[in-house]
């Protein structure tokens, strides 16, 4: 081998080694050599107990979680209660988070990681501030997009940066941020299994009411008291109404004064749920939006379930999407059809011989 050939091979080997190291480095979930230490080195886990408010801002939108006794309330959402579990998880992760890997410090890179200036109207980033009882800022961070399984199966990371710095980091914890009610409220306003519904009564303003009953085996539902000469149009239409009642997500709420309800009555659904629980879903239409109130009573084993639901729902109206309203409030005429009379069998004409 000539010296020239040897030099060429050596250069090729170096290039391949460099490429391999680059690929390896990029594929590693984090690098201890690039670690920036704890996200908030001045705070320990005990500091979580001193946090009185958590502020999130994104453009012109803002949401403040404020501690009130054992509860957390959403100030901009008329003090609707936040999920204590969600807030507790956030604080634990924030206090334990480490800046595991340094990322870009360029503006274009910040935008890709959703770490642009959170004050911009079109920002995808959030500015999060933790404050104590005096209103003093304990910590603040810009929160960007999350990265699933960045640190192994089920261990997500979050891109962050300090507000005064351009350097971005991948933190080793899931840090949730958001300015919507759904981000911090419990996921389900109401939830029950379909097989627990025994009777559902549907009342639509200006329309005949009707009942839906569960079959003896508890598997399907059908219309009750169908008039002679009519039948249920489709086998699963009653099942679909019950199915939509089994759970309601929390999207938007507003405080309600029973003496000054907004909008006009649209309909009411009364559901009897085993064992011994009754839930009333009352819907009003305000402009093009539907709002629902929930009342519940219970006996025996359902007494606490009903009380817990009323502790959350009493005094509030909840926005529900039009598609959900349409499925809940089918008109009686839409569910039934006339039974066609059987035509007498016609005899075949005799063949001529």
């Amino acid at each position: 081998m000539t010296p020239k050939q040897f030099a060429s091979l050596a250069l090729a080997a170096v290039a391949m080694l460099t490429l391999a190291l680059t690929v390896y480095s990029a594929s590693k979930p984090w690098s201890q050599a690039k670690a920036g230490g704890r996200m908030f080195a001045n705070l320990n886990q005990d500091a979580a107990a001193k946090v009185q408010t958590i502020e999130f801002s994104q453009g012109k939108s803002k949401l403040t979680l404020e501690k009130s006794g054992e509860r957390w309330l959403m100030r901009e959402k008329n003090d609707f209660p936040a999920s204590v579990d969600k807030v507790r998880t956030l604080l634990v992760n924030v206090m334990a988070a480490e800046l595991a890997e340094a990322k870009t410090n360029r503006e274009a890179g910040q935008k890709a990681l959703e770490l642009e200036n959170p004050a911009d109207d079109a920002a995808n980033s959030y500015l999060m501030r933790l404050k104590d009882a005096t209103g003093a800022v304990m910590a603040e961070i810009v929160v960007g997009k999350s990265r699933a399984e960045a640190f192994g199966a089920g261990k997500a990371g979050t891109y962050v940066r300090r507000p005064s710095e351009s350097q971005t980091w991948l933190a080793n914890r899931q840090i949730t941020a958001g300015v919507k009610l759904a981000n911090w409220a419990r996921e389900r306003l109401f939830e029950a299994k379909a097989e627990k519904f025994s009777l559902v009564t549907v009342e639509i303003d200006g329309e005949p009411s009707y009942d839906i009953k569960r079959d003896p085996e508890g598997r399907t539902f059908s219309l009750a008291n169908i008039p002679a000469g009519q039948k249920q149009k489709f086998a699963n239409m009653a099942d679909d109404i019950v199915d939509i009642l089994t759970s309601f997500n929390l999207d938007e709420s507003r405080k309600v004064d029973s003496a000054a309800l907004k909008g006009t009555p649209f309909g009411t659904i009364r559901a009897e749920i085993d064992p011994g629980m009754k839930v009333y879903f009352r819907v009003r239409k305000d402009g093009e939006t539907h709002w629902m109130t929930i009342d519940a009573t219970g006996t025996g084993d359902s007494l606490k379930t009903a009380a817990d639901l009323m502790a959350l729902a009493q005094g509030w109206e909840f926005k529900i999407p039009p598609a959900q309203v349409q499925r809940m409030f089918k008109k009686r005429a839409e569910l039934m059809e006339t039974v066609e009379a059987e035509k007498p069998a016609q005899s075949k004409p005799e063949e001529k011989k």
Side-chain angles (χ1 to χ4, degrees), residues 32-60:
Q32 189 64 41
K34 298 179 180 179
R38 290 182 54 221
M39 188 166 73
F40 296 124
N42 61 316
L43 302 180
N44 54 30
Q45 288 292 341
D46 294 336
K50 299 178 182 179
V51 177
Q52 184 67 25
T53 59
I54 307 171
E55 295 179 352
F56 299 96
S57 60
Q58 183 186 55
K60 296 179 181 178

Side-chain angles (χ1 to χ4, degrees), residues 28-304:
K28 286 185 66 178
W30 61 281
S31 172
Q32 189 64 41
K34 298 179 180 179
R38 290 182 54 221
M39 188 166 73
F40 296 124
N42 61 316
L43 302 180
N44 54 30
Q45 288 292 341
D46 294 336
K50 299 178 182 179
V51 177
Q52 184 67 25
T53 59
I54 307 171
E55 295 179 352
F56 299 96
S57 60
Q58 183 186 55
K60 296 179 181 178
S61 299
K62 183 178 179 181
L63 181 70
T64 305
L65 302 175
E66 189 169 72
K67 194 173 183 180
S68 176
E70 297 299 318
R71 300 196 302 167
W72 286 87
L73 306 178
M74 291 180 262
R75 186 186 297 166
E76 289 80 8
K77 304 299 180 182
N78 297 304
D79 290 339
F80 191 81
S83 164
V84 174
D85 289 339
K86 286 185 177 182
V87 178
R88 183 185 297 117
T89 298
L90 171 69
L91 289 174
V92 168
N93 286 344
V94 165
M95 298 302 170
E98 296 180 357
L99 302 178
E101 183 179 351
K103 307 304 287 186
T104 182
N105 59 8
R106 294 179 297 177
E107 186 174 341
Q110 292 175 357
K111 188 172 183 179
L113 300 179
E114 296 183 358
L115 287 173
E116 66 270 44
N117 184 356
D120 293 343
D121 290 341
N124 291 312
S125 59
Y126 296 89
L127 175 63
M128 179 179 69
R129 284 196 179 104
L130 309 182
K131 294 183 178 180
D132 62 19
T134 69
V137 176
M138 300 171 64
E140 60 180 358
I141 199 78
V142 178
V143 182
K145 67 185 343 181
S146 61
R147 179 174 153 187
E149 300 186 350
F151 302 93
K155 297 180 181 180
T158 308
Y159 294 107
V160 298
R161 71 175 176 86
R162 296 185 175 97
S164 60
E165 300 176 3
S166 60
Q167 179 64 56
T168 62
W169 300 87
L170 176 61
N172 66 345
R173 292 297 182 107
Q174 176 75 59
I175 301 172
T176 303
V179 293
K180 296 180 179 179
L181 181 141
N183 295 135
W184 298 105
R186 76 181 198 183
E187 293 182 4
R188 295 281 190 270
L189 169 64
F190 169 79
E191 191 168 20
K193 293 181 179 179
E195 59 265 27
K196 295 294 184 180
F197 285 73
S198 57
L199 181 67
V200 172
T201 300
V202 180
E203 299 175 355
I204 303 174
D205 197 51
E207 295 285 337
S209 64
Y210 58 89
D211 293 334
I212 295 173
K213 63 181 180 180
R214 184 178 62 197
D215 73 359
E217 295 183 359
R219 295 179 181 177
T220 60
F221 295 85
S222 59
L223 294 175
N225 305 318
I226 298 178
Q230 292 191 308
K231 66 177 182 178
Q232 186 171 307
K233 188 177 292 186
F234 299 109
N236 63 344
M237 293 188 81
D239 297 87
D240 186 62
I241 293 174
V242 175
D243 181 66
I244 198 65
L245 298 175
T246 58
S247 66
F248 290 91
N249 293 338
L250 272 170
D251 180 35
E252 188 175 338
S253 67
R254 67 183 185 185
K255 281 190 174 180
V256 59
D257 180 356
S258 59
L261 285 167
K262 297 179 181 180
T264 56
F266 183 86
T268 299
I269 292 179
R270 183 182 74 249
E272 296 183 15
I273 305 170
D274 298 335
M277 186 171 175
K278 292 183 179 180
V279 183
Y280 299 82
F281 307 95
R282 296 184 174 91
V283 175
R284 302 177 69 84
K285 189 174 183 181
D286 186 8
E288 296 301 316
T289 306
H290 295 85
W291 295 87
M292 180 178 69
T293 57
I294 294 182
D295 291 292
T297 61
T299 59
D301 293 340
S302 291
L303 186 62
K304 183 179 184 305

